[in-house]
């Protein structure tokens, strides 16, 4: 069908608006990357914009040698990998029975979980419960309270409901039980939504900051998000790092930019592997029809 002038105007405005929004995300990222890779004199003179000037990796060298960036990175990986595995298991095992019509009371269970999206116990009662179970200063305090995200569960549940009932009936005729049906039929057909929700959980766990500060007492257990925040806010710490790497020429601004890049790169690298599932997973999991 031929596009009308109104359609072309609409699409043109959409592309322009989305392009401007994309630039507001891309340009700061390019600037930070340029600061982390530019020569000290270029940074001090304010000539660094969107491209590195005087290629220099001293900031990364000083950061890896003078900070706990590698242990913190390891902690972030542990928190993210274990958290994603636990959350995906819990989300799938919650969404699957709630998507089956034969499950008694599934609507009431669903409404009860939706209720938690609008009303929570609050920070202090949650902390007291976590402390009561002896989870303070343990990564379990990060995993268990946020094990299932209700929105993610509803997306997976709706996706499962969109899978044709004929497949379930055929599986039952072949003697397929619920567990086998879930593992061999439902999950292989749900790769788009599973990849999408995996990305949501991965970003959430990787960026954990407040809960780490609230529940983790030992600095050796801090993740990358907390360490980067401390590096950015603590000028004394930055100066100590600069003095540690006295044999190289580096400034605090470059160290801040390098720490932010180390924080962002893993998720940027992960996204392209899941991007092809992203739109399909969200759309099919969010719309019942």
């Amino acid at each position: 069908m031929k596009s009308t002038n109104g359609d072309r105007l609409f699409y043109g405005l959409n592309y322009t608006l989305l392009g401007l929004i994309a630039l507001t995300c891309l340009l700061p990222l390019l600037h930070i990357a340029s600061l982390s890779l530019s020569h000290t004199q270029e940074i001090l003179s304010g000539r660094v914009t969107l491209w590195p000037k005087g290629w220099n990796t001293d900031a990364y060298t000083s950061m890896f040698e003078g900070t706990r960036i590698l242990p913190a990175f390891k902690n972030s990986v542990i928190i993210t990998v274990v958290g994603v595995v636990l959350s995906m298991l819990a989300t799938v095992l919650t969404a699957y029975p709630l998507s089956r019509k034969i499950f008694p009371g599934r609507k009431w269970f669903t409404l009860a979980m939706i209720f938690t999206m609008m009303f929570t116990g609050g920070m202090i009662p949650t902390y007291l419960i976590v402390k009561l179970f002896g989870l303070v200063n343990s990564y379990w305090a990060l995993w268990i309270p946020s094990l299932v995200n209700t929105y993610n569960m509803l997306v997976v549940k709706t996706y499962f409901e969109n899978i044709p009932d004929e497949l379930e009936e055929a599986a039952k005729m072949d003697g397929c039980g619920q567990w086998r049906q879930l593992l061999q039929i439902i999950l292989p057909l749900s790769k788009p939504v599973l990849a999408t929700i995996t990305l949501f959980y991965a970003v959430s766990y990787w960026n954990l900051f407040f809960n780490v500060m609230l529940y983790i007492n030992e600095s050796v257990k801090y993740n990358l998000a907390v360490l980067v925040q401390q590096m950015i806010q603590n000028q004394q710490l930055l100066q100590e790092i600069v003095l540690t790497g006295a044999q190289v020429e580096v400034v605090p601004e470059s160290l801040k930019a390098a720490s932010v890049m180390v924080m962002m790169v893993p998720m940027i690298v992960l996204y392209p592997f899941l991007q092809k599932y992203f739109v399909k997973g969200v759309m099919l999991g969010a719309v019942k029809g």
Side-chain angles (χ1 to χ4, degrees):
M1 186 173 64
K2 186 177 180 180
S3 298
T4 64
N5 291 333
D7 290 337
R8 287 192 288 270
L9 177 62
F10 175 77
Y11 289 129
L13 291 174
N14 268 343
Y15 289 140
T16 302
L17 179 61
L18 292 175
L20 291 174
I21 294 174
L23 286 176
T24 62
C25 299
L26 180 61
L27 295 181
L29 176 60
L30 293 177
H31 180 64
I32 293 295
S34 299
L35 283 176
S36 70
L37 294 170
S38 295
H39 194 274
T40 299
Q41 297 303 322
E42 300 291 341
I43 296 173
L44 293 175
S45 63
R47 291 195 292 266
V48 179
T49 54
L50 302 178
W51 192 256
K53 294 184 181 294
W55 187 272
N56 183 11
T57 59
D58 287 346
Y60 291 95
T61 302
S62 298
M63 182 178 59
F64 283 111
E65 292 179 354
T67 70
R68 297 190 64 262
I69 196 81
L70 291 179
F73 187 91
K74 178 183 176 182
N75 293 340
S76 288
V77 171
I78 293 173
I79 292 171
T80 301
V81 172
V82 177
V84 167
V85 171
L86 293 176
S87 289
M88 287 302 297
L89 283 173
T91 299
V92 169
L93 294 178
T94 303
Y96 179 68
L98 293 179
S99 67
R100 303 297 94 183
K101 297 178 181 178
I102 61 173
F103 183 66
R106 68 190 189 107
K107 291 185 177 180
W108 292 106
F109 282 110
T110 302
L111 289 174
M113 295 197 69
I114 292 175
F115 181 84
T116 65
M117 297 176 67
M118 298 176 285
F119 303 96
T120 62
M123 182 180 69
I124 295 177
T126 302
Y127 180 84
L128 293 176
I129 292 175
V130 171
K131 185 177 180 180
L132 179 65
F133 282 94
L135 301 178
V136 173
N137 203 33
S138 166
Y139 289 153
W140 289 104
L142 308 177
W143 295 325
I144 293 180
S146 56
L147 196 60
V148 176
N149 180 285
T150 304
Y151 171 79
N152 292 342
M153 187 278 296
L154 292 175
V155 171
V156 177
K157 169 183 173 292
T158 307
Y159 194 100
F160 287 168
E161 289 175 341
N162 286 331
I163 296 176
D165 294 335
E166 289 77 10
L167 290 175
E168 181 180 357
E169 295 172 1
K172 288 181 179 179
M173 293 180 63
D174 292 335
C176 184
Q178 292 293 340
W179 280 106
R180 188 177 178 186
Q181 179 179 323
L182 172 64
L183 296 175
Q184 297 186 359
I185 298 176
I186 302 299
L187 293 184
L189 293 175
S190 305
K191 289 180 180 178
V193 74
L194 296 179
T196 302
I197 300 304
T198 296
L199 180 62
F200 286 170
Y201 277 128
V203 172
S204 176
Y205 280 112
W206 184 262
N207 292 328
L208 273 180
F209 172 75
F210 182 76
N211 284 355
V212 176
M213 295 295 293
L214 184 63
Y215 297 123
I216 304 300
N217 299 329
E218 298 178 15
S219 60
V220 294
K221 294 183 178 181
Y222 284 167
N223 64 344
L224 201 56
V226 174
L227 181 64
V228 169
Q229 188 272 344
Q230 290 179 342
M231 289 177 59
I232 292 175
Q233 295 293 329
N234 193 334
Q235 292 296 324
Q236 182 179 354
L237 177 60
L238 289 174
Q239 292 299 329
E240 291 176 359
I241 299 171
V242 172
L243 293 175
T244 301
Q247 68 276 14
V248 296
E249 216 176 328
V250 64
V251 291
E253 288 75 12
S254 183
L255 283 171
K256 291 179 183 180
S259 64
V260 171
M261 289 304 300
V262 171
M263 178 73 189
M264 291 191 300
V265 164
M267 290 299 104
I268 295 176
V269 172
L270 176 65
Y271 180 77
F273 294 98
L274 302 177
Q275 189 270 339
K276 64 179 180 179
Y277 299 111
F278 192 79
V279 175
K280 183 178 179 181
V282 173
M283 293 300 295
L284 291 182
V287 181
K288 178 70 182 294

